[in-house]
Structure formats: C-alpha cells, structure tokens
C-alpha cells in the first residue's frame, strides 16, 4: 500500500458517508475505489476499518456482496433498512440488484 493506514481509514470512511439513504454498497466496491487511489487494500481491510472506526458512520449501508451483514449486526441493520426504505429480499438480506450504489473514487486530501 502506498500510503499510511490513517489515510486509508479516512478514504474508506469518506466513501461510507456518501452512501445515500435506502441504498448500500459493498466492502468490495469500497476497496475497489479506495484501492484505485492508494494502490492496495481489499474487502477485508475495509471490513477491518469499519469494525474499528465505523461506529459513527452509517455502517449498515456497507454489506457483503450477497447483501448480507455479519449475524451480530442483522437486527440493528434490519431496523435501519426498514426506516430508510432499503429494498430487502424475502431472506432479510438487502436486494443488492436494486439497492447497490457504487461510490465515486475519493480524492486524496
């Protein structure tokens, strides 16, 4: 990775802040756009950033590629999805085909 972890964290969190209500993005989509700026990172690193620094963010708007969240967050996320009108599948996962939003490539500060 060509920058320090603090800058990577900032870019990830900026991406998460831009996800509109009722829409979601994936760990992989964020990793892709941030990686285009910094030249590295992946979905697991984005997940680590969210687990460590994302509590003040709309974390429920970042899901796995299949539209699911880790089981420990499902109940709280489901309530947020219902409040925001996020499209859901009968399984309770986000309907990723309808709700997916691709973050723009962030710029370095």
């Amino acid at each position: 990775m060509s920058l320090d972890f603090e800058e990577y964290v900032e870019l990830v969190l900026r991406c998460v802040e831009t996800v509109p209500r009722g829409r979601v993005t994936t760990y992989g989509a964020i990793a892709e756009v941030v990686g285009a700026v910094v030249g590295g990172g992946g979905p697991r690193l984005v997940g680590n950033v969210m687990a460590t620094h994302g509590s003040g963010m709309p974390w429920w708007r970042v899901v796995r590629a299949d539209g699911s969240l880790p089981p420990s967050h499902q109940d709280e996320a489901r309530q947020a999805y219902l409040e925001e009108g996020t499209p859901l599948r009968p399984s309770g996962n986000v309907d990723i085909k309808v709700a997916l939003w691709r973050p723009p490539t962030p710029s370095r500060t």
Side-chain angles (χ1 to χ4, degrees), residues 21-22 60 75-88:
R21 289 176 58 85
W60 59 91
D75 292 338
E76 194 175 351
R78 182 169 174 71
Q79 184 61 39
Y81 297 146
L82 294 173
E83 290 172 8
E84 293 186 359
T86 306
L88 300 175

Side-chain angles (χ1 to χ4, degrees), residues 9 11 14 19 25-26 35 43-45 49-51 54 59 62 64 81-82 94:
V9 168
L11 293 173
R14 270 201 269 146
V19 180
T25 194
T26 64
R44 288 183 187 219
L45 185 55
V49 168
M50 292 303 297
W59 54 265
V62 184
R64 295 174 178 163
Y81 297 146
L82 294 173
V94 172

Side-chain angles (χ1 to χ4, degrees), residues 48-103:
N48 179 274
V49 168
M50 292 303 297
T52 307
H53 304 281
S55 64
M57 299 286 116
W59 54 265
W60 59 91
R61 296 181 190 156
V62 184
V63 298
R64 295 174 178 163
D66 67 356
S68 67
L69 279 166
S72 61
H73 298 299
Q74 286 178 343
D75 292 338
E76 194 175 351
R78 182 169 174 71
Q79 184 61 39
Y81 297 146
L82 294 173
E83 290 172 8
E84 293 186 359
T86 306
L88 300 175
R89 296 189 326 225
S91 66
N93 289 349
V94 172
D95 187 340
I96 203 78
K97 289 182 181 178
V98 177
L100 183 63
W101 180 84
R102 297 248 179 227

